[in-house]
Amino acid sequence: MDIAAQLPMLLGLAWLAPLASFVAILFFGPRMGSHGRNAAWVATAAIVTSLVLSLFAAGTWLGAHPVQAVHHGDGHHGESHAAEPAGHGGHSTGHGEAQVPVAYAGDWYTLYQAGGLKLSIGWYVDALTVLMFVVVTFIATCIHVYASGYMHDELHDVTDHEVHLSGGGHLHRPGRFPRFFQALSLFCFSMLGIVIAGNLAMVFIFWELVGICSWFLIGFYYERTSASTAANKAFIVNRVGDFGMLIGLMALWGALGTLHFADTPADAAGAARPGLFSLVRPAAEGHALRVPDGMVKFAAAAEVAKTPMAEVAGKIDGWRSMGLGRWLLFVAGVGIFCGCVGKSAQFPLFVWLPDAMEGPTPVSALVHSATMVAAGVYLVGRFYPVLTPDVLLVIAYVGAITLFIAATIALVANDIKRVLAYSTVSQLGYMMLALGVGGWSAGLFHLVTHAFFKSLLFLCSGSVIHACHTNDMRKMGGLARIMPWTAGTMLVGCLAIIGAGVPFVIGLSGYYSKDAILAQALSFAQANPSHSILYAAVAGGAFLTAFYMFRLWFMTFAGAPRDHHVADHAHESPAVMVAPLVVLSVLAVAAGWTLPGGFGLANLLEQSRPAGTAEGMTGGFAFGSLVFPAEHLSHEGAIHVTATLTAFTTALAGVVLAALMYLVNIISPAVVATVFKPVYAFLAGRWYFDELYHALFVVPVLGIAKLASGTDRGVIDRFIDGVAWTARQLAGIDAWIDRTLVDGLVNATATATWNAGLELKKLQTGHLRQYVMFIVVGTVALFVIASLLFRTTIAG
Amino acid sequence: MTGCLMLAAVNFHTLLFYLFALLACGFAVGVVVADNVVRMALYLVLSLGATAGLFFLAGAEFIGAMQLMIYVGGTLVLLVFGVMLTAQAPFVTIKTSPGDRVLAGVVAASLLALLLQAAFSVEAWRRPGLGEVAQPAATPIGVALVGVRVDEPPAGTPPGVRSGYLLPFEIVSIHLLVVLVGAAYLARAKRRRTQRAIDVAASVQSLVEPVVEVPRQARGSASALATGGTR
Amino acid sequence: MSGMLGIGVAIAGPVFAAADGVSVAHYLVVGAILFTAGIVCMAVKRNALGVLMGIELVLNGANVNFIAFASPYLRGQGAVSLGIDGQVIALFVILLAAAEAAVALAITLNFYNNHSTVDVDRADDLKG
C-alpha cells in the first residue's frame, strides 16, 4: 500500500479508536469492573492504540519524507542556495522557488453533493497533521493515566461539600467514574477529527463537538452551580466565536463553492476541483496570495450581470486590480479567526477559560491547556495560506492584547489553577501574535512546546491540590520538602515556560519557541516601524510570564509553610500520578532540541509550511501597506541575537523580581499592593471583564427577557384572560338565554300543551248527553261555515 | 150531501199527509216532553206508526210495511222489554235539570232552523207532487236484493250496468247474525255480581233515599239486587 | 161522530186542499222535526232507554228524508228521484237500526246489571 493510502488508514484508525472507547463505555461503562473502574483501562487502551498508530504514521511519514536540516544564520540568500550542490540534500526553503508542502488529501465519505458544493468527511495529512496527532495522543495518554489515579474519588459514593442542599447538608451522590472517561474519549475523538479534517465543514462539525465535550467535562461536577455555570459560559462564549466562523464559512462557500483545503482530483463523480489553497494561492502565480476569481465575481456581481458570459473570464483580472473582492477575502479570514478567538480564548472571548477550571484538573490539563485551546491556533496555522496581510495584522493585535491582559491578571491571582489558566490565555496570545506577524513556524512550534509544559504544569498543580485539598496559594508554602517530585517537575515546567536556557547554546523547549517568536516579532517591527508595539508586547509579556510563574512556584513550594494544617496533611502523590509528570517534564526539556542530522520539531514543521509563505508577504489595503518578512530571515544575524538577548534578560529580570518578593521577601507584596492600590484592584478584579460583559450583554438580555415575560404576562396573558373572561361572560349569557329563553320556551310549550291538555280534558266529562250536545253544536257550526263558504246549490 | 161533495173536493193525499205528519211530529214531541219512560215508549210507538203511514203515502209501501213489521213490531217491542226490565221506581222518571233542558232546546232550535232552511233551499223540492201512487215497489226491491235490477233507471242517469244490492244484503245478514250472538253474550247471565255493583247498590241506597222516596218493594228489590242473586 | 168528522174535514179540507199538493219539502220538514226531537231526546233524557228512543227517532227522521227523495210522485211531472235506491237505503237503515237497538239494549242491560242504574249521568267512568 502506498503512503497516500497508508497514512489516511493509520490516522483514520487512530482517530476512531477513542470513538470506539466512547461507545463501549457509553453502553457498558457501569458494568466494567466494580463501579466501572475498568473504564479507565478501556479509555487508556484506546488512546494508547491511537498513540501507537500515530507513531506508526509518523514513522511512515518520516520514512517517505525524511526531515532535512534547514539552513539558517549563514546570511546567504538567493543565489547561494541555488548554487549549492545537490549534496545539500533535499529541499530547503529557498527564494524564487515556490515550495509546495507534501500533503495527502482525500475524502472518506460524501455527506452531500449538489452542483459545485460537496460536504464530506475527509482528510488532509501533512507533516503538521502527523505531528499534531502524536502530540495530542501522547499528552492524552499521560492524562488518561494520571486521571485514573486522580479520579479515584468517583469510584465510590461522593459527598460533595461544595453543593448545599435546600434542607441543609451536603449532596450525597454515587460516583461517576466511567462517565469521566467516556467524555474524555469523545473529546479525544473530536480533537483528532479537527486535526485530520480535510475541509472546513468537517472542522466546524468537530469544532462544535469539541465544544460539547468541553461542556461535559467542565460541568462534570454539575451539581455545583459554579461548575454548571462555568460550563454554560464556556459553551456560550464559544458559540459567539462560532457565529463569526459561520460568517467566514458562508463567505468562502458562497463565493468559492468549496470548503476543501486541497484540490479534489478528477474521479468518477466529477471533474477536478481546486481547493481553497489553490484558489487563493494559485500555482500559476507562484503561490502568491491573491483574491480568488470567485470572490472577485461575487463582489463585481453588478458588473458580471451586465457582461456577456464569454467575456467575464477576461475581465476578472481587471476587476481584481480595482480591488473588488478583497473585502470578502478579508471577511472570510476574520470570520474563521473569530472561531479561533472563541476556542483559543483570545480577547475579547477569553472570559470562559479561567472559569473552566471548575472541571477536574485532568480536564484542565488536557482540554484547556494542551489541546482544545490549541485547536484555534492549529486552525489559524492550517488556514494560513488564505489569510491576507490585513487579517494577519488583526490576528497579531488580538494576540498582543490578549497576551498583555492575561499576563497582568495572572500577576495577582491567588488560585493556583487560575494563574495557570491565565498563563494559558497569555501563551495562546503569544501564538496568535506569532502567527500574525508572519511567524508560521514559530507559532506552531510554540503550540507544541506549550502543550507539553502547560499540561505538565497543570498536572503538577493537580498533584498539589490533591495533596493540600485547596487551590489557594496563600495557604501553601514550603511544599518542596514534602513533595519533591512534584516540586521538581513543576520547576522544570516553569523554566520551560519562561524560556530558560543558556543563550546561543542550549535551552529547554520553551527557550527555542519563545526565541523564534521574539525574533519574528522583532523582524516584523523593523519592517513595519508603526507596529513596533507588537514587539514591545512580546518582550513585556516575557518579563511578566517569568514573574508570575516563579511567583507561583515560590509561593507554593518555597519558604515556610503559611498554613500548618495544610502542610501537615500534604503528601507526595502516588506513582500513577507522578509518572506522567516525569515523562512530560522530559519532553518539556527536550522537545525543542534538534538532533544532529536535522530531526527536530522546527524542521518537521518546515515540511508542511504552506506554499508561498516562505518568502514573506507584502500587501494589505485596510491598514496601510504591510511587510511580512520571511521567517527564515529572523533566524539569521542581528535579529536573532537581539531577540535571544532580550528574551534572556526579560526572563531573568522576572525571576529575580519574583525571588525578591516571594523567596527572600525583600520587597513585600502587600506593600506593593497597597502602593499601587488602584492598579492592584483593577488586576485583582480581572480587568472587570465579567462585570463589563454582564452589564453589556447579560443585563440587557435579562431586561429584554423581563420585558418579554412582562409583556407575556401583562399584555398577552391579560389579553387571553380577558378573552377567556369575555367568553365566560358570553357563556353565562348564553347559558341564561338557554336556560331562560330556550328552555323556557320549550318548557312553556310543554306547560302550555299540558295545561291545554288539562283544560281539554275537562271536555271529557264522561257525560253522554254533553257529548250529544257537542255533536249537534258542531254539526250546526259546520253547516253554517259551509253555507257561508260555499254558495252553490247542491241539489238540482 | 154537502159532505160528500166536500169529500170529493178534498185532496185526500194532502189531507192524509198532514194527518200522519201531525201525528208523527206530535208524538215525537211527546216523547221529548214525557217524563215517564213507559209513556215515552208508547209515544214512540205511535210516532213511528204514523211515520209508516207517511211512507205509504210517498209510494214506498214495502218500506212502510217493513217499518211497521220490523221497526215498530220488533225494535220498539225490544225497547219496551228493556223498559220493563229496568223500570224500577227510581228510574222510571229521572228528571233533568232545567238548565240542561233550556240549553238543549236552544241548540235543537238552531239545528231545526238550519234543517228547515236547507229543506226550503232547493227549488226542485218545492214543486208540488203528483199526488198518486202508480207502481208498487215490492217486486223491484225484492229482486234488487238478489242482485237484479228491474226498475227503470231515472232519467238522466248515465248508461251502464246498475248494480244490485246482493252484497249489502249478505252483509246485513251476517251483521244481524253477529248482533244476535253479541247481544246474547252481552246480556248473558252472570255467575256472580262484581264488587262494584255491590258498592254501587249500596251507594245508590244511601243517595237515593234522601232524594227520592223509595217505596218499600223497591228497597226490597234493591237489597235483593245488592245481596246478589242471579237473574 | 161522523158529522163532527165531516165538519172537521170540511174545514180542514179546503184549507189544506187549497195548497198545491205535497212536495218533497213537506216531507223534509217532517223529517227535520223528527230528527230534532230525537236529538233533544238524546241530549235531555237521563234514562238510557230514553236515549235509545232518541236514537230511533233520529233514524226515522233520516228514513223519512230518504223516502221523500226516493218517491217519484212527490216531485212533479217528469222529475228525477232516487227511485228504488232510496227505498233500499231506507230498508237497510231499518235493519241496521234493529241490530243497533239490540246491541244498545244489551249494553244497557249489562250496565244496569253492574251499576244497578240506568241513569246515564252515572256512566261517567270514562271522564278525563
Side-chain angles (χ1 to χ4, degrees), chain B residues 34 67 71 130 165 197 200, chain C residues 44-45 56 60 73 85 114-115:
Chain B
Q67 167 93 343
Y71 220 128
L130 296 174
Y165 291 101
V200 170
Chain C
V44 163
K45 298 292 175 194
E56 304 305 334
N60 264 282
Y73 311 109
D85 295 333
N114 287 333
H115 297 85

Side-chain angles (χ1 to χ4, degrees), chain B residues 164-226:
Chain B
Y165 291 101
L166 183 57
L167 181 61
F169 182 57
E170 297 299 332
I171 290 172
V172 166
S173 313
I174 306 286
H175 181 82
L176 286 172
L177 177 65
V178 168
V179 165
L180 178 71
V181 171
Y185 174 77
L186 271 178
R188 72 188 183 283
K190 305 280 188 314
R191 292 218 183 246
R192 63 173 181 277
R193 187 166 308 288
T194 59
Q195 181 60 36
R196 161 85 183 174
I198 298 167
D199 295 337
V200 170
S203 66
V204 161
Q205 259 192 323
S206 60
L207 276 174
V208 163
E209 271 170 25
V211 174
V212 168
E213 194 73 35
V214 178
R216 237 171 253 177
Q217 48 273 46
R219 191 176 297 154
S221 64
S223 60
L225 278 172

Side-chain angles (χ1 to χ4, degrees), chain A residues 247-266:
Chain A
I247 293 176
L249 282 175
M250 280 197 288
L252 288 167
W253 200 354
L256 299 177
T258 180
L259 290 171
H260 280 73
F261 294 130
D263 303 339
T264 315

Side-chain angles (χ1 to χ4, degrees), chain A residues 340-357:
Chain A
C340 303
V341 166
K343 190 67 70 183
S344 293
Q346 299 298 294
F347 171 83
L349 298 176
F350 63 90
V351 289
W352 66 271
L353 190 55
D355 285 7
M357 299 300 120

Side-chain angles (χ1 to χ4, degrees), chain A residues 469-482:
Chain A
H469 297 288
T470 177
N471 289 21
D472 196 338
M473 290 195 294
R474 292 171 293 189
K475 293 197 188 134
M476 301 177 193
L479 291 176
R481 284 182 294 279
I482 308 166

Side-chain angles (χ1 to χ4, degrees), chain A residues 449-630:
Chain A
T449 56
H450 173 265
F452 289 128
F453 54 68
K454 192 44 71 63
S455 56
L456 168 65
L457 284 167
F458 265 108
L459 291 184
C460 291
S461 74
S463 180
V464 169
I465 294 165
H466 187 79
C468 300
H469 297 288
T470 177
N471 289 21
D472 196 338
M473 290 195 294
R474 292 171 293 189
K475 293 197 188 134
M476 301 177 193
L479 291 176
R481 284 182 294 279
I482 308 166
M483 311 171 66
W485 284 98
T486 308
T489 47
M490 195 149 200
L491 184 62
V492 169
C494 290
L495 288 171
I497 197 173
I498 69 171
V502 180
F504 307 108
V505 179
I506 196 170
L508 278 64
S509 58
Y511 164 81
Y512 295 98
S513 56
K514 254 216 170 101
D515 231 26
I517 295 175
L518 267 169
Q520 180 64 21
L522 182 58
S523 174
F524 182 82
Q526 285 181 345
N528 307 281
S530 55
H531 299 293
S532 310
I533 193 166
L534 290 173
Y535 178 67
V538 175
F543 167 72
L544 292 172
T545 307
F547 176 78
Y548 67 68
M549 283 314 300
F550 270 88
R551 168 178 173 265
L552 181 147
W553 198 89
F554 289 142
M555 276 181 84
T556 310
F557 293 107
R562 285 186 206 84
D563 186 333
H564 289 276
H565 187 76
V566 166
D568 289 340
H569 285 271
H571 55 88
E572 183 58 89
S573 301
V576 70
M577 285 168 70
V578 169
L581 299 179
V582 173
V583 171
L584 282 171
S585 59
V586 167
L587 276 167
V589 168
W593 296 342
T594 307
L595 297 176
F599 178 76
L601 268 179
N603 293 336
L604 183 62
L605 281 169
E606 282 299 329
Q607 280 191 342
S608 56
R609 173 178 287 277
T613 59
E615 290 314 309
M617 271 194 294
T618 54
F621 64 95
F623 308 108
S625 187
L626 300 164
V627 176
F628 289 84

Side-chain angles (χ1 to χ4, degrees), chain C residues 69-92:
Chain C
F69 287 129
S71 165
Y73 311 109
L74 292 174
R75 288 186 183 239
Q77 191 70 33
V80 179
S81 70
L82 286 179
I84 293 294
D85 295 333
Q87 295 188 25
V88 169
I89 292 170
L91 180 66
F92 281 126

